[in-house]
Amino acid sequence: FILRMMRVRIWAQNHKALPKRGEPFFLVCNHLSHFDPMVVCTYLRRHRMIFISKPENFKLLPVGPYMKRLGFLAIDRASPKNAMRTIRDASLHMSENNLCVGVYPKGTISRDGVFAGFHEGVFLAAKKAGVPVVVTTVWGTQFVKKRFWHIGADVRFRFEGTISKEEVAELRPKELSDKAREMMRQTILKHGMQ
């Protein structure tokens, strides 16, 4: 409803790379705006998607109540013990509840055009759950607030590919992080974002 009200048009590319409906997966994406999870959850609504997010985002209006209602998970990056509890909860959601879990592995919104490193520990959720990692990119969400009064915003959502659950089991978290980052690199550099 919020995206429709703000005249956001979502264009998806390469969606054949997505696992079949009902198969849980761990989704990683670049992060440009607070609208990113809305776009992803709207497009992937049939896949029962939740996200891992920082606690402060749950206080934002109007997105905070929306996140709570959907069952998003808060991750306390200041406490390794609490962060690992969230990773464990995410893995249980995927392995036992057949939910799909998304995360922004950089950990924050980025608009400076620098393709920086990821928090590799989040990939432990996929390893513990034994699910594939779906690598995606999004662009255009950074313009939603600026343009909706006049022309709305076109948002592009691209599936870069899937790292199979067999490969997820074999690779260490850092190797998974590096592979996902490399899969995103060309699209991200092409659009001058991270």
Side-chain angles (χ1 to χ4, degrees):
F1 171 77
I2 292 170
L3 294 178
R4 195 163 54 241
M5 184 181 69
M6 300 188 83
R7 293 191 278 178
V8 174
R9 297 169 294 273
I10 303 171
W11 305 90
Q13 299 176 339
N14 199 29
H15 59 274
K16 290 181 180 177
L18 198 62
K20 292 177 183 176
R21 184 177 166 183
E23 294 179 15
F25 56 82
F26 189 67
L27 182 138
V28 295
C29 191
N30 63 314
H31 198 12
L32 298 171
S33 159
H34 290 299
F35 290 97
D36 295 340
M38 282 191 205
V39 167
V40 176
C41 287
T42 297
Y43 188 79
L44 298 178
R45 60 190 169 274
R46 294 182 180 177
H47 289 272
R48 300 179 65 214
M49 189 94 216
I50 63 170
F51 268 84
I52 295 173
S53 185
K54 59 186 179 181
E56 305 92 278
N57 288 342
F58 290 82
K59 298 173 185 174
L60 295 173
L61 293 175
V63 295
Y66 168 81
M67 291 164 61
K68 286 177 185 172
R69 207 174 92 221
L70 284 180
F72 281 29
L73 300 171
I75 187 163
D76 181 2
R77 294 174 296 181
S79 166
K81 182 179 177 182
N82 290 339
M84 281 309 300
R85 187 178 296 124
T86 300
I87 296 297
R88 187 188 67 238
D89 290 346
S91 70
L92 288 173
H93 276 311
M94 290 184 283
S95 62
E96 295 182 5
N97 301 330
N98 277 346
L99 291 179
C100 300
V101 176
V103 70
Y104 300 105
K106 188 161 185 251
T108 187
I109 291 174
S110 177
R111 300 183 182 96
D112 60 9
V114 179
F115 190 60
F118 289 171
H119 294 285
E120 60 202 47
V122 295
F123 289 88
L124 283 168
K127 289 185 71 64
K128 287 175 181 289
V131 298
V133 173
V134 174
V135 182
T136 59
T137 52
V138 64
W139 66 98
T141 52
Q142 70 271 38
F143 303 122
V144 171
K145 278 171 52 176
K146 299 174 188 173
R147 297 181 180 172
F148 83 94
W149 289 110
H150 306 291
I151 59 173
D154 288 314
V155 172
R156 311 284 173 182
F157 184 49
R158 178 176 168 80
F159 297 93
E160 303 296 342
T162 299
I163 304 171
S164 71
K165 56 186 176 182
E166 292 78 19
E167 196 171 359
V168 167
E170 289 174 10
L171 297 177
R172 293 174 303 184
K174 182 176 186 332
E175 292 171 323
L176 279 171
S177 173
D178 291 345
K179 185 175 179 75
R181 202 172 125 206
E182 194 54 40
M183 289 169 74
M184 292 182 192
R185 182 183 293 275
Q186 290 307 312
T187 299
I188 286 171
L189 293 179
K190 178 182 173 184
H191 294 278
M193 63 187 183
Q194 57 164 304

